[in-house]
């Protein structure tokens, strides 16, 4: 298949190891990956904060960048983020329609229909759960709010993780609880966010896992900060955070390495 990658602005600016891992994984599975240069933010931050008018040019840019998938030039769009996939699928057409851009809203709907979060693409479209990965570490999994509730990815990420050679998966207590990030929620409700994060960090450290994984680097960034601060003020090393794509991209021949994979 010919698959376009939406890197997400967070992945592009701060965590390039996630989109890089997606490219490596999909190419290893025999697919061609295209990375449209015009892409930028999906507009989720603007919409969730109530700035729908300001979101219009951002959303229009995303739809135009990925419009070739609606014309059949590409077979699918993959996003290493449940949060951004949710925005593309449930918000973009609405924003354009409310702005009186009915034609572009229809294109947005067509683009969204072929846009998939990574685990959706692998399990539902490519029909694979064992991707030939090797990751010999103790790992726990956090199902992010948007992937769980907005997309309904269910157990797809866990089905992929269970097929990874060498991995030791451990359940995360109260896994479905939010980490407290939520984009600007963490800024506008700092005390509530901090309390939610403290609960999540306590549950993660209690698993004894070496790594916490998820399908969104936004949540991993938030939880990772809490884990680092906890480690600094306590004893022992912090639980490391890693995107699902990085685990699935790791193999016996090319194991995961934090520095190498970030290049």
């Amino acid at each position: 298949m010919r698959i376009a990658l939406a890197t997400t602005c967070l992945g592009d600016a701060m965590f390039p190891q996630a989109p890089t891992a997606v490219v490596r994984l999909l190419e290893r599975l025999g697919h061609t990956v295209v990375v449209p240069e015009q892409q930028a933010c999906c507009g989720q931050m603007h919409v969730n904060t109530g700035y729908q008018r300001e979101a219009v040019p951002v959303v229009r840019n995303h739809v135009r960048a990925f419009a070739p998938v609606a014309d059949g030039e590409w077979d699918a769009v993959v996003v290493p983020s449940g949060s951004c996939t949710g925005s593309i699928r449930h918000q973009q057409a609405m924003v354009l329609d409310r702005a009186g851009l009915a034609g572009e809203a229809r294109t947005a709907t067509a683009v969204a229909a072929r846009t998939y979060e990574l685990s959706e693409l692998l399990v539902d479209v490519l029909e694979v759960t064992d991707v030939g990965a090797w990751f010999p570490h103790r790992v726990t999994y956090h199902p992010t709010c948007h992937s769980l509730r907005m997309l309904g990815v269910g157990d797809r990420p866990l089905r992929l993780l269970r097929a990874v050679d060498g991995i030791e998966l451990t359940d995360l207590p109260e896994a479905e609880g939010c980490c407290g990030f939520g984009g600007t929620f963490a800024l506008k409700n700092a005390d509530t966010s901090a309390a939610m994060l403290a609960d999540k960090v306590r549950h993660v450290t209690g698993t004894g896992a070496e790594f916490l994984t998820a399908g969104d680097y936004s949540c991993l960034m938030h939880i990772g900060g809490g884990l680092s601060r906890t480690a600094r003020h306590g004893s022992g090393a912090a639980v490391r955070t890693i995107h699902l794509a990085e685990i699935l991209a790791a193999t016996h021949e090319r194991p995961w390495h934090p520095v190498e994979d970030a290049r």
Side-chain angles (χ1 to χ4, degrees):
M1 292 181 65
R2 191 170 171 83
I3 301 168
L5 170 63
T7 62
T8 78
C9 49
L10 194 67
D12 181 46
M14 298 182 65
F15 302 102
Q17 58 268 43
T20 299
V22 173
V23 173
R24 187 177 304 157
L25 169 63
L26 294 179
E27 288 184 343
R28 189 177 79 226
L29 295 175
H31 304 285
T32 299
V33 181
V34 180
V35 184
E37 293 184 1
Q38 183 187 339
Q39 66 177 294
C41 179
C42 67
Q44 179 194 185
M45 188 71 77
H46 305 69
V47 179
N48 288 354
T49 314
Y51 292 96
Q52 291 206 18
R53 185 177 61 186
E54 290 78 3
V56 171
V58 183
V59 170
R60 292 179 82 182
N61 179 73
H62 179 94
V63 172
R64 289 172 179 174
F66 290 93
V69 76
D71 298 328
E73 183 174 335
W74 308 323
D75 298 295
V77 176
V78 65
V79 192
S81 163
S83 178
C84 295
T85 306
S87 181
I88 293 164
R89 192 172 295 169
H90 298 292
Q91 295 178 340
Q92 290 195 338
M94 174 195 69
V95 168
L96 296 174
D97 191 55
R98 287 180 178 177
L101 301 167
E104 292 185 67
R106 285 192 291 274
T107 303
T109 299
V111 171
R114 293 192 175 187
T115 297
Y116 305 91
E117 181 267 348
L118 178 61
S119 71
E120 292 180 325
L121 178 80
L122 293 169
V123 176
D124 298 346
V125 181
L126 305 183
E127 298 182 338
V128 59
T129 51
D130 186 347
V131 298
W134 177 67
F135 195 75
H137 299 282
R138 185 176 173 88
V139 176
T140 193
Y141 168 70
H142 166 64
T144 66
C145 290
H146 283 168
S147 66
L148 188 69
R149 300 179 177 87
M150 200 171 190
L151 293 182
V153 299
D155 68 346
R156 293 176 182 84
L158 284 172
R159 290 163 63 186
L160 292 160
L161 288 169
R162 291 183 187 122
V164 173
D165 187 20
I167 199 168
E168 181 185 354
L169 276 176
T170 181
D171 292 337
L172 177 63
E174 299 186 23
E176 296 185 1
C178 180
C179 70
F181 180 60
T184 54
F185 174 86
L187 301 176
K188 292 183 174 179
N189 305 277
D191 291 343
T192 303
S193 173
M196 296 170 76
L197 176 63
D199 287 343
K200 182 63 68 174
V201 166
R202 176 167 49 83
H203 291 313
V204 171
T205 54
T207 65
E210 300 169 69
F211 289 88
L212 169 71
T213 192
D216 275 88
Y217 245 125
S218 53
C219 297
L220 291 174
M221 175 180 67
H222 186 60
I223 302 171
L227 290 169
S228 296
R229 288 191 292 276
T230 299
R232 278 201 303 272
H233 294 101
S235 59
V239 182
R240 304 179 72 165
T241 54
I242 185 171
H243 194 283
L244 173 67
E246 295 174 80
I247 293 178
L248 299 180
T251 63
H252 284 276
E253 295 75 21
R254 192 168 184 177
W256 176 80
H257 188 282
V259 176
E260 178 186 359
D261 283 13
R263 291 173 180 169

